Amino acid sequence: MKICVVTGRLMKDYAYKICRDFADVFVVNRDIAAFMTKEDILKAVKNTEKYDLMIVPGYIKEDLSKIEKDVGIPVFRGTKSISDLRELLENIKEIKLYKDIPADDMLRDVRKEKFYKRVANYEKNADFDFKIGNLKIGKNSMPKIAAEIIDAPKLKNNLFEKMVERYIEEGAEIIDIGMFEIWFNQCSF
């Protein structure tokens, strides 16, 4: 996929550096990229027919459908900060871009997914002191999320079950069930 990125003068060197493996950079005649206008873009960007899409700064105020009509290729909002642009370009095939929403939210979802995969892989290979079911406890395994239900025998009308379900939905991996000593001593295990 052939991409062009549009930026302002102040960030052009940085844009060239981060885009060199992913996209061509066009620089508008304006210092701050977020202030560029449709006219600035049309003056700076040439030969758009060789590109599949154009990425403009996330903060730009222009109607991108009008720019798209004039340049003849799809135009989308990039990230709000140029420091996130490289990551966007690295993941461009996994992210749905929009004309009216900066790419930050979509990029956040990609980051979150990659983070969860890394954590799952780390936990899969982690050493542990013991297991509760399949849950590794101790050593270099991940810390576990615990919830506590205080005075569980006092709870009425399925409240105990509802609390357990809610804690599990919220990510609890261990649930500490609080008992009374007198009640506990009457139980036979």
Side-chain angles (χ1 to χ4, degrees), residues 26 41-51:
F26 291 96
I41 294 170
L42 296 177
K43 286 178 190 172
V45 178
K46 305 293 181 209
N47 302 320
T48 56
E49 62 277 353
K50 68 180 185 177
Y51 298 102

Side-chain angles (χ1 to χ4, degrees), residues 32 109 125 127 133 143 147 150 157 170 176 178:
I32 300 173
D109 293 342
N125 297 312
D127 197 9
I150 299 171
N157 300 331
E170 292 178 356
D176 178 4

Side-chain angles (χ1 to χ4, degrees), residues 9-73:
R9 289 187 302 241
L10 290 177
M11 288 291 133
K12 71 177 182 181
D13 292 336
Y14 189 59
Y16 286 130
K17 180 180 176 183
I18 62 174
C19 292
R20 73 172 163 246
D21 296 330
F22 305 101
D24 291 339
V25 176
F26 291 96
V27 181
V28 298
N29 191 21
R30 194 173 291 270
D31 287 338
I32 300 173
F35 297 150
M36 71 177 69
T37 64
K38 173 184 167 186
E39 291 72 28
D40 293 332
I41 294 170
L42 296 177
K43 286 178 190 172
V45 178
K46 305 293 181 209
N47 302 320
T48 56
E49 62 277 353
K50 68 180 185 177
Y51 298 102
D52 298 306
L53 66 100
M54 177 187 298
I55 296 176
V56 298
Y59 278 125
I60 190 172
K61 301 295 184 210
E62 293 288 327
D63 179 350
L64 300 190
S65 61
K66 291 179 181 176
I67 297 170
E68 185 175 284
K69 189 175 180 182
D70 287 340
V71 297
I73 59 171

